[in-house]
């Protein structure tokens, strides 16, 4: 008899892929998979990054889109600073890196992982000064880990991307945000 699984953090909201050429990856998702438009952040303003207990000044490029309710995130490392993205690429190449969940109660989500014996190994502040994210080791399946993404100050941005994807007619497949 199958046991009921407790859904302690809700549904998966994001699939995060590590890529070595973000422009080619966006092209693949648009042309081959019909997903778009992508909102491209050439170097998002990440801060307070820590990886395995050490500060990191890593830079990445990010592209975001939605397929239905599921956010697709493409991540390309831009330097050799230690990150889980570099480690993933060294061990597995490119591909599905993490499953993300959007959370309003960040501290509660961190505590929920801790209660299950999982501590964050990478994290920091994301697109805004207040917004936080963290990754947790759940690599028992092909290197894929779990991320929580605090939605403070991001809800409107994510909603705009989702809305653009829902009504997308194929025009403007890549929309650059920031520098």
């Amino acid at each position: 008899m199958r046991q009921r699984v407790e859904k302690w953090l809700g549904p998966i909201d994001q699939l995060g892929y590590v890529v070595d050429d973000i422009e080619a990856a966006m092209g693949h998702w648009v042309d081959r998979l019909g997903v778009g438009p992508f909102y491209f952040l050439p170097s998002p303003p990440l801060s307070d990054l820590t990886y395995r207990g050490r500060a990191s000044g890593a830079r990445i490029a990010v592209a975001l889109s939605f397929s239905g309710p599921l956010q697709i995130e493409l991540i390309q490392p831009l330097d050799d600073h230690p990150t889980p993205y570099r480690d993933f690429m060294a061990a597995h190449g490119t591909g599905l890196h993490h499953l993300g969940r959007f959370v309003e109660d960040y501290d509660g989500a961190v505590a929920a992982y801790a209660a299950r014996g999982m501590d964050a190994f990478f994290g920091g502040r994301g697109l805004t000064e207040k917004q936080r994210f963290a990754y947790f080791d759940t690599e028992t399946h092909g290197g894929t880990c779990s991320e929580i993404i605090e939605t403070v100050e991001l809800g409107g941005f994510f909603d705009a991307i989702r809305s653009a994807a829902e009504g997308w007619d194929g025009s403007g497949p890549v929309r650059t945000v920031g520098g």
Side-chain angles (χ1 to χ4, degrees):
M1 179 176 197
R2 192 174 202 179
Q3 291 183 342
R4 183 186 156 142
V5 176
E6 179 185 2
K7 294 183 180 181
W8 49 281
L9 281 178
I12 292 168
D13 296 300
Q14 179 193 77
L15 299 179
Y17 292 84
V18 173
V19 300
D20 56 7
D21 181 339
I22 200 161
E23 291 184 24
M26 287 186 288
H28 170 78
W29 280 85
V30 167
D31 296 338
R32 300 290 183 157
L33 303 175
V35 174
F38 276 91
Y39 285 72
F40 176 49
L41 294 89
S43 186
L46 304 179
S47 63
D48 299 332
L49 296 178
T50 44
Y51 181 50
R52 305 233 181 256
R54 301 187 70 151
S56 176
R59 292 179 38 253
I60 59 174
V62 173
L64 301 169
S65 190
F66 276 86
S67 180
L70 190 61
Q71 186 182 78
I72 306 301
E73 178 182 39
L74 308 175
I75 302 167
Q76 178 185 338
L78 297 177
D79 57 35
D80 290 325
H81 287 268
T83 65
Y85 317 119
R86 284 278 178 205
D87 289 353
F88 180 88
M89 288 178 72
H92 307 286
T94 61
L96 181 62
H97 174 261
H98 66 266
L99 308 176
R101 289 185 170 90
F102 302 152
V103 299
E104 291 182 17
D105 180 5
Y106 179 86
D107 294 323
V110 170
Y113 274 97
R116 287 159 179 79
M118 294 179 275
D119 294 317
F121 69 91
F122 179 64
R125 297 202 179 271
L127 300 179
T128 74
E129 192 175 294
K130 293 182 181 178
Q131 188 266 327
R132 299 172 289 177
F133 67 92
Y135 288 83
F136 298 85
D137 276 323
T138 52
E139 295 188 354
T140 56
H141 178 71
T144 306
C145 61
S146 181
E147 179 187 19
I148 56 171
I149 304 114
E150 186 176 32
T151 56
V152 64
E153 298 183 352
L154 287 183
F157 181 57
F158 286 174
D159 290 344
I161 297 171
R162 183 183 294 111
S163 179
E166 288 171 356
W168 188 49
D169 63 3
S171 63
V174 176
R175 301 168 186 190
T176 302
V177 178

